[in-house]
Amino acid sequence: MNETTPARKIAFATFVRRALDDARAMRAWTGTEVSRRTGVSRQTINRWVRGDWASDPEVDRVVAFCEGLGLKPTAAFAALGWDRAATSRETTTAPPMDPDVEALLRRLVDPDVSDVEKFHIRETIRYLAYRPTLPVADRNRQEQAG
């Protein structure tokens, strides 16, 4: 290991800790929920927070962690001291956002909207985002019936 390893571990641990704190504060996610949504085990996340790793974290796990939390992997790569150009995925422009989704996002950051209403917005979005999708045949039957 080189001399920068302790500094890199501290920087990455700080990045992960902040990401977890934000997920708890803004989304009310537990560690188990973060693990489920990112696909990275709680044990791995805990090792990252403690800086308890002998070799660098796997790129795919770092990317999955970031994407599951809506973060840019380049921030994690910078904390790890990785060459961002060599390890980041090709970036594509995001599709245009639906105006209704934009309106919900504005409400979530509006200080005049109560915490209770923000909670209900988040819960509804979470339900819709993770509900099982119907098989195509079932969807076609519903469209014909409706």
Side-chain angles (χ1 to χ4, degrees):
M1 288 190 202
N2 59 33
E3 295 174 32
T4 63
T5 300
R8 291 173 55 239
K9 285 183 176 185
I10 291 168
F12 187 61
T14 301
F15 169 82
V16 173
R17 198 172 301 113
R18 284 185 184 147
L20 293 172
D21 290 345
D22 288 347
R24 283 186 193 104
M26 298 183 69
R27 299 175 179 166
W29 288 359
T30 63
T32 301
E33 187 67 12
V34 169
S35 179
R36 187 178 76 76
R37 304 243 182 166
T38 63
V40 179
S41 73
R42 287 190 67 183
Q43 294 83 3
T44 297
I45 294 170
N46 289 334
R47 278 197 314 273
W48 290 350
V49 168
R50 291 189 313 266
D52 183 21
W53 37 277
S55 60
D56 281 359
E58 294 174 21
V59 174
D60 290 344
R61 285 187 182 175
V62 173
V63 170
F65 177 79
C66 292
E67 288 179 351
L69 295 174
L71 304 171
K72 293 185 179 186
T74 54
F77 296 165
L80 287 163
W82 291 349
D83 177 11
R84 289 180 254 164
T87 54
S88 64
R89 294 181 181 177
E90 283 187 32
T91 57
T92 58
T93 58
M97 187 164 305
D98 184 280
D100 294 330
V101 174
E102 285 181 344
L104 286 172
L105 292 174
R106 281 193 302 275
R107 291 187 67 77
L108 287 171
V109 297
D110 185 345
D112 294 331
V113 175
S114 73
D115 288 341
V116 171
E117 186 172 349
K118 289 178 183 181
F119 173 80
H120 287 293
I121 291 169
R122 284 188 188 100
E123 287 299 307
T124 302
I125 292 170
R126 194 171 294 127
Y127 165 76
L128 293 171
Y130 295 100
R131 72 180 178 169
T133 57
L134 292 172
V136 175
D138 290 343
R139 274 186 271 162
N140 290 341
R141 269 189 251 132
Q142 279 190 342
E143 289 172 6
Q144 290 171 355

